[in-house]
Amino acid sequence: MDTFLQQLANGLTIGSMFALVALGYTMVYGVMRLINFAHGDMVAASAFVGLTIYTEVLGQATSLFAVIAIFMLTAVVMAMVGIILERVAYRPLREAPRLSAVVSALGASLVIQNGIMLVWGPRMRIFPELVPQVYWDFGGVVISLIQVIILVLSLILMVALYLFVEKTRIGAAIRASSIDQDAARLMGINVNSVIALIFIIGSSLGAVGGLFIGLYYRGITFNMGWQYGLYAFIAAILGGIGNIPGAMLGGMLLGLFNAFIAGYVSSTWADAFTFILLILILIVRPTGILGERVAEKV
Amino acid sequence: MKELQKFAYPVFFVVMAVLPHMLDDRWQAVAITFLIFAVVALSQDIILGKCGMFNMGQALFFGMGAYTTAILNNEYGWSILATIPLAIIIPAVFGILLAGPIVHLRGDYLLVVTIGFNIVFVQVLQNNLGGITGGPNGIFGLDSLSFLSYDLTSQISVYYFAFIVLLLTLWVMHNLAGSKPGRAMHYLREDQLAAESIGINTRIYKIFSFGLGAGIAGLAGTVYATQYSAVSPEAFEFIQSVLFFSIVLVGGSSVPGVLIGVFVMFVLPEIFREFATWRYFIFGFAMIAAMILRPRGIWPATFGKIPKFLIKDNNHGA
């Protein structure tokens, strides 16, 4: 039972990080029908940007204010990178065959990954210990302060995003553009602004996810984006890509599943089991758990 | 383009036939890998380019062929050439079995499932399932090529082995293009619903493309295992599949396109090795630029028999 509760706590922590990153994939996919392969590397980059902001801008201060400042500044920087990414790599390909944009995304991923390596070097860097090491022991189940912060903050962000997309006028524009871009344009929605906004939101959520990865795992490497990105992408697919609550659900499920595999089976098989789960779910539900069945357009 | 091809093919074959005698050891190895990757990329082209299935797991079949050769040679003492039939059949059968339940998935879902197959495969190899894959180190110390009683140890003979395999693959591709399955695949790529409505069994042809592509990739795996006389899991990681995927799309879904793709995506980075840290940074930009300038690839497929005025630009497929 202890293992169960412990892995439940770990799984929810990892799951909320996956979910934050998965939202970036799913929102871009929802509007542009594009798998943004560079998103994982954006997440990795944000951990490094956060590191530099900590050492260079804030002079290694560790106060509550400093932590908030790191999150805010990193999110702003990554949102700008996201806009540039969309402008340079994706906008010129909007009318092109879909797979061309995928290759462009892979190219952008290489650029960002190797850009990180050129700026911060190929070796692993250690993320600063911004959150004090506080642990609570509930009868054998250990939960750390950082886990609580990650879980609570992620949930707040996800609920805020959900309300934003469902309840505001701008959210309605996002939903309209994801259903039919041309029709949305005819209704006076500026689809270019919507896409820019999608990249701002997705990249800032990814930035928060990247900082969480840095805070939780501590060691950050220039090529970690592929690994976390792939998991987050699976989470998005699992929930039904393009679907915002789906990404949250997929992320949480994937995190829990991973934690239980690591706790009960063996971590050397974690990837294989994850993909077998994914494949089985897709065979039963070809568009993910919450994905809608889309009729082929004739 | 057609005139150019008539002239360019013989030149290409002659150049490739004399090439190894003009290169030093390191570049001979690059040339062999070029040939192997060309074969794998062509097999990927059957699935991705010709049939329009978003397959990002081609390294799985490539690796399966290489491991088949390695295990049969190392454990059971078969000669390298004798392993070829099984190195084609086993990946082909796996290709058919794996494709069966997933070909109905929509594009991007198929993509992630094939990535999944690739990652499961690599993990199986690393964890040494069944005790025959050699774990993370792989299998090394394979025999060199031998045919009848001739011992073909030199790198040049491996080169010609790879070259013959490439020629064989080109022959298959050429025949496929005009055959019934080839035309059916082209149709279903352009418009699956229309293909179905005139009675093409799209499911069968999709699975067929996986089987054929997997078999050819398996054969390339045999050559790969021969070249290094070793196999290890990291050579067949999913990142390798990403490379084959990009080769077909950057080059374009035609034989010259795929060959140009392999040259651009594999040989050029080798040439610019001295710029070690910068090369992939610039390479990424080059990929973006290539797609913006030529969204259908550097040398896209052309379909000669349809009159020009009937072809309307459309956005389906690769």
Side-chain angles (χ1 to χ4, degrees), chain A residues 271-290:
Chain A
D271 283 352
F273 277 109
T274 305
F275 274 101
I276 291 168
L277 170 83
L278 174 79
I279 293 163
L280 290 180
I281 287 184
L282 286 184
I283 288 172
V284 182
R285 282 196 64 89
T287 48
I289 299 170
L290 295 184

Side-chain angles (χ1 to χ4, degrees), chain A residues 29 33 35 37 88-89 92-93 95-108 110-112 114-115 117-118 226 230 233-234 236-238 240-242 267-273 275-276 278-279 282-283 285-288 291-294 296-298, chain B residues 48 52 54 56 101-102 104-113 115-117 119-120 123-125 127-129 192-193 238-239 242 245-246 249-250 265 276-289 291-297 314-318:
Chain A
Y29 188 91
R33 299 285 175 271
I35 304 169
F37 274 109
V88 173
L93 285 164
E95 303 302 322
R98 283 187 52 205
L99 285 176
S100 316
V102 172
V103 173
S104 184
L106 290 168
L110 271 181
V111 169
I112 296 172
N114 288 281
M117 192 185 76
L118 289 169
W226 265 101
L230 191 62
F233 176 51
I234 297 168
I237 290 267
L238 205 58
I241 194 159
S267 55
T268 52
W269 285 100
D271 283 352
F273 277 109
F275 274 101
I276 291 168
L278 174 79
I279 293 163
L282 286 184
I283 288 172
R285 282 196 64 89
T287 48
E292 291 148 42
R293 283 178 183 276
V294 188
E296 284 292 316
K297 281 180 191 158
V298 182
Chain B
L48 173 68
F54 295 11
M56 216 187 242
I102 61 160
H104 65 284
L105 292 175
R106 233 171 56 204
D108 307 293
Y109 291 91
L110 186 72
L111 186 123
V112 73
V113 169
I115 294 176
F117 284 147
I119 286 177
V120 172
Q123 200 141 66
V124 166
L125 295 179
N127 287 318
N128 203 0
L129 194 74
Q192 187 180 334
L193 271 180
F238 124 82
I239 202 80
V242 175
F245 186 88
S246 313
L249 293 172
V250 169
M265 302 284 292
T277 46
W278 278 90
R279 70 183 161 148
Y280 281 108
F281 184 71
I282 294 166
F283 191 62
F285 276 115
M287 273 167 80
I288 298 173
M291 283 294 105
I292 292 172
L293 297 174
R294 296 197 64 88
R296 293 180 158 273
N314 57 42
N315 291 329
H316 319 295

Side-chain angles (χ1 to χ4, degrees), chain B residues 160-182:
Chain B
Y160 284 112
F161 180 34
F163 190 43
I164 292 167
V165 168
L166 177 66
L167 291 180
L168 212 66
T169 310
L170 290 177
W171 178 69
V172 171
M173 298 289 287
H174 180 76
N175 282 343
L176 181 70
S179 69
K180 189 179 166 208

Side-chain angles (χ1 to χ4, degrees), chain B residues 9 21 25 78 82 93 98 114 128 154 161 169 174 214 222 226 239 252-253 283:
Chain B
Y9 272 123
H21 301 286
D25 274 359
W78 295 28
V93 168
L98 292 179
T114 49
N128 203 0
S154 72
F161 180 34
T169 310
H174 180 76
T222 301
T226 317
I239 202 80
S253 168
F283 191 62

Side-chain angles (χ1 to χ4, degrees), chain A residues 185-205:
Chain A
R185 206 171 276 127
L186 290 174
M187 298 299 118
I189 294 169
N190 185 342
V191 175
N192 279 341
S193 319
V194 168
I195 289 174
L197 180 67
I198 289 289
F199 272 87
I200 291 174
I201 297 174
S203 306
S204 358
L205 289 175

